[in-house]
Amino acid sequence: MRHLKKYLPLAVMALMVTAVQLLTSYTGTAYYLTQLTITAYYGLLITGLCLLMGYAGQLSLGHTGFFAIGGYVSAALTTHDLTACRNDFFITLLNHAHLLISRHDIYGEPLITVKAWPACLAAIAAALLIAFIIGIPVLKLKGHYLAMATMGFGIIIFRIVMASTYFGEADGISDVPAFTLLPGLTVSGDFSYRTQNYYIAWGLILTGMFLLINLIDSRPGRALRAIHGSPEAAEAVGINTARYKLLTFVISAAFAAVAGVFLTHFNGGIGPSEASIMKSVRYVAIIAIGGMASLWGALSMGVILNFLSLRGVFGSYDDAVFGAILVLVMLFAPNGILRLPIWRKLNFRHRDG
Amino acid sequence: MLRIKNLSAGYGRLKVLRNISLHVNQGEIVTLIGANGAGKTTLLSTVCGLLRATNGEIYLQGRDISRQRPERIVASGCSLVPEGRQVFAAMSVRDNLLLGAFVRYRAAKNKRRSMDLKPVYQLFPVLKEREAQMAGTLSGGEQQMLAMGRALMAQPALIMMDEPSTGLAPMIVKNIFSIIRQLKDKGNTVLLIEQNARAALRIADRGYVMENGKIIVQGPAADLLANQDVQRAYLGQNVDNK
């Protein structure tokens, strides 16, 4: 019974994902799948951040930073030509480890780059390492001091990618190759891979939700909620609050980095707008709308709002709309719109993650 | 059980505790009384490891715990019922209690957990009734019981309570103190910090009086109740000195 309640939403979600795909192919609107794929990757970042913000109670305005580290490192490693320095000791070593691939660029010039798999793993490892290093000092801060420190981190990452030629400055990195996960399973924005990528993205987020739901329902999950409730009392019952906060921070950074890697290979490139601070504000707004400590709320709101935003419904007022939504939610639905009394009147029961 | 030797501690350059020595024997209720700012809470925080001692030693069951991290200290048998209760408001009563047993479970088995809740529910039947309720919706007295139950879940050798009577109605305070007495009768050891000196001294075996970070008087609780200086300073009685 308990397991049923826990996993039923996951099953429903899997069914809905399949139903949407069938519906779009039936009605000839398969182009929606591209935006839904991108939406799913943002959703992955949002659910990871929801664990940190909603459950452990630590605000982060720097998660685009981890997304950008994942995306940019993977993009740079798979596009930068190593032909010129191919006789260097380190490069030869990589070559002998079969981590390099030589191919031809769009002009037919030979190109030697890192393979997608090692590049992806290196990108995620880089994000984890940086999350670990900055998490130790930053998580000692509380409330808006923590928000400002993480925002500072986000700005630094944004400025680094804007300033360094290695990361393409304001142009970003383009021509990022497809990423073959397994034979026959390729992350690519190519038209023929569209349905496949839709399922890769949503399969990834289902896996992510499965992990998060189980984490929240476990001993460490209880510890996180306790830290949110009262850090002093959490210490007094014997929870190493610093360690658990850091662990959550690193896990949520991992979610962001994975999302960054996949979305970059799917889009075939990444630009500095993916690292901008407004994106972080948007993610925080979405989690607030979803009800803070509600994974399903954050995910559903993320999917709806990001999808509308990607379809261009908000036009040039995109950021303004998210800002306005944040203000309205704080005023009229501080517990998220899924917990408004109107739902109870309609006799509609929603479940928490 | 607990033995504190020449302990000094403070916040930054501010020294709060100066050369405190005290001990608590197995099965005793020892109370520490004193005015606001005397250093009572600082002393408990230092014993718990929330604050680093600058000098001195703290022995719990013969082992030096003065340089250990809080979770190690809880695991070695010393639980704190913090000031102002500090229950986890947004979590259920049951989850609050299970968190109390946090250090005892690495890989938890559900069955064993529920068995562990029984003694606490026996002591506080009201918590059983409110098992699924959010802790924040409990009354002050119930929250205090929950905070005590949570500390007991760690099966501590020593329970330290920081002002359990704060903000409670006199009737409830009476109830809480009779429960502390029951804890002793069941073989628990309690270090009780109180501003409500009279109530604390009535149930305690021994007492210490703190002032400006120092212990100024100590002795059996009955003696302290009768001590004229203590009466004048902490029990609000006018004593005629002829």
Side-chain angles (χ1 to χ4, degrees), chain A residues 219 222 230 233 235 238 240, chain B residues 69-71 86 102 105 113:
Chain A
R219 180 174 176 272
R222 252 201 308 281
S230 164
E235 286 267 352
N240 187 335
Chain B
R69 297 224 2 109
E71 66 272 8
Q86 306 271 3
F102 189 80
Y105 295 118
R113 277 192 201 159

Side-chain angles (χ1 to χ4, degrees), chain A residues 2 218-223 225-227 229-244, chain B residues 50 69-71 74 78-80 82 85-89 91 95 98-100 102-103 105-106 110 113 150:
Chain A
R2 233 186 90 205
S218 69
R219 180 174 176 272
R222 252 201 308 281
R225 285 181 286 150
I227 293 169
S230 164
E232 296 81 15
E235 286 267 352
V237 297
I239 295 168
N240 187 335
T241 54
R243 190 200 297 166
Y244 275 98
Chain B
L50 298 172
R69 297 224 2 109
E71 66 272 8
V74 177
C78 169
S79 277
L80 173 73
R85 306 183 274 277
Q86 306 271 3
V87 296
F88 304 114
M91 298 174 80
D95 275 353
L98 289 178
L99 274 164
F102 189 80
V103 291
Y105 295 118
R106 289 287 149 191
N110 268 323
R113 277 192 201 159
R150 184 178 63 190

Side-chain angles (χ1 to χ4, degrees), chain B residues 158-217:
Chain B
L158 169 73
I159 310 166
M160 303 195 294
M161 299 192 190
D162 197 350
E163 308 223 358
S165 74
T166 311
L168 299 180
M171 277 294 292
I172 314 286
V173 173
K174 227 174 171 181
N175 195 355
I176 295 287
F177 275 94
S178 87
I179 289 168
I180 298 173
R181 190 73 214 192
Q182 280 179 44
L183 288 179
K184 175 199 152 85
D185 294 342
K186 289 189 175 167
N188 289 292
T189 310
V190 180
L191 175 59
L192 174 66
I193 285 197
E194 259 304 331
Q195 293 209 39
N196 191 340
R198 190 194 316 270
L201 286 172
R202 280 215 181 112
I203 61 161
D205 298 300
R206 289 186 302 113
Y208 291 86
V209 180
M210 244 179 123
E211 207 173 272
N212 289 329
K214 284 186 213 145
I215 305 264
I216 52 161
V217 187

Side-chain angles (χ1 to χ4, degrees), chain B residues 96-152:
Chain B
N96 265 271
L97 290 175
L98 289 178
L99 274 164
F102 189 80
V103 291
R104 290 197 296 120
Y105 295 118
R106 289 287 149 191
K109 294 264 188 313
N110 268 323
K111 229 183 231 162
R112 213 175 59 196
R113 277 192 201 159
S114 340
M115 279 171 49
D116 270 0
L117 289 168
K118 260 192 193 145
V120 171
Y121 285 150
Q122 266 168 14
L123 194 60
F124 307 103
V126 67
L127 294 184
K128 171 78 186 158
E129 284 165 36
R130 308 207 183 270
E131 192 177 45
Q133 213 170 306
M134 293 290 124
T137 64
L138 300 184
S139 75
E142 287 163 353
Q143 287 189 14
Q144 185 61 50
M145 291 179 196
L146 179 57
M148 288 161 72
R150 184 178 63 190
L152 285 171

Side-chain angles (χ1 to χ4, degrees), chain A residues 1 29 39 78 82 102 134 141 162 179 204 262 268 270 309 333 339-340:
Chain A
M1 186 57 215
T29 50
T39 300
T78 51
L82 300 172
S102 70
I134 73 155
L141 303 171
M162 278 289 273
F179 174 14
L204 197 63
F262 275 76
I270 185 168
S309 163
R339 295 215 181 95
L340 280 176

Side-chain angles (χ1 to χ4, degrees), chain A residues 15-86:
Chain A
L15 282 176
M16 277 170 64
V17 166
T18 318
V20 166
Q21 192 267 319
L22 292 176
L23 194 72
T24 54
S25 86
Y26 186 70
T27 56
T29 50
Y31 50 84
Y32 282 130
L33 293 186
T34 302
Q35 282 98 34
L36 285 171
T37 306
I38 300 174
T39 300
Y41 289 133
Y42 286 133
L44 193 65
L45 182 153
I46 289 168
T47 48
L49 185 57
C50 181
L51 175 77
L52 180 70
M53 273 178 59
Y55 291 88
Q58 309 299 312
L59 182 62
S60 168
L61 280 170
H63 262 54
T64 43
F66 297 116
F67 181 91
I69 292 169
Y72 266 103
V73 171
S74 189
L77 288 178
T78 51
T79 53
H80 275 282
D81 189 12
L82 300 172
T83 314
C85 48
R86 81 183 139 208

